[in-house]
Amino acid sequence: MSISGINANQNVGNWKPNPQSKNTDMKIQALERDLQKLNTEKQKAVQRKDQEQAKKIEKRIQEIEKQIRELQRKKADNADSLSANEQTKEKEKIPSSDGMYIDELV
């Protein structure tokens, strides 16, 4: 049964996923998994009283944490950029006499 005047898919054609954001999310998740593994290895090294190995692992942990922070910052910057672009597009639209919106010619 369909209800006239309501189109659930009205904005679906305008929405496009950001493949860069998805790729960034996947990288962050992979780094977080590596981080968990390294934390486990570090705990084992500490239990074995292998201070040298624990220090090496800690250094690698810090590198991965830095990479994660950088990826999260880039993701946030991209989201801000996309939001700003959407706001600009909305400002460029002006209503026509019939209530529909058209793009403003510049």
Side-chain angles (χ1 to χ4, degrees):
M1 175 180 203
S2 109
I3 301 172
S4 63
I6 298 176
N7 185 354
N9 296 323
Q10 185 173 357
N11 292 326
V12 171
N14 295 334
W15 182 82
K16 295 179 183 172
N18 184 353
Q20 189 174 24
S21 177
K22 185 176 181 179
N23 190 27
T24 302
D25 287 340
M26 290 172 50
K27 287 179 183 178
I28 290 172
Q29 290 172 358
L31 288 170
E32 287 174 343
R33 283 191 301 271
D34 290 346
L35 196 57
Q36 289 175 347
K37 290 176 186 176
L38 287 171
N39 278 316
T40 302
E41 287 181 31
K42 181 183 171 189
Q43 288 176 351
K44 290 177 183 178
V46 169
Q47 288 173 351
R48 290 189 315 264
K49 298 181 182 181
D50 188 348
Q51 295 296 340
E52 186 176 327
Q53 184 67 18
K55 285 181 184 180
K56 287 179 183 178
I57 294 171
E58 179 60 32
K59 184 176 180 181
R60 181 68 182 129
I61 287 171
Q62 290 174 0
E63 291 171 0
I64 291 176
E65 288 174 339
K66 181 180 177 184
Q67 289 176 347
I68 291 171
R69 285 191 302 271
E70 288 173 2
L71 287 170
Q72 289 172 335
R73 182 188 53 80
K74 285 180 183 179
K75 182 180 171 184
D77 289 348
N78 286 340
D80 291 344
S81 176
L82 288 173
S83 177
N85 286 339
E86 290 172 1
Q87 290 175 359
T88 301
K89 287 179 184 179
E90 286 300 316
K91 288 179 184 177
E92 292 175 351
K93 293 182 179 181
I94 57 172
S96 66
S97 60
D98 62 356
M100 300 295 292
Y101 284 85
I102 59 172
D103 289 339
E104 178 180 1
L105 298 175
V106 181

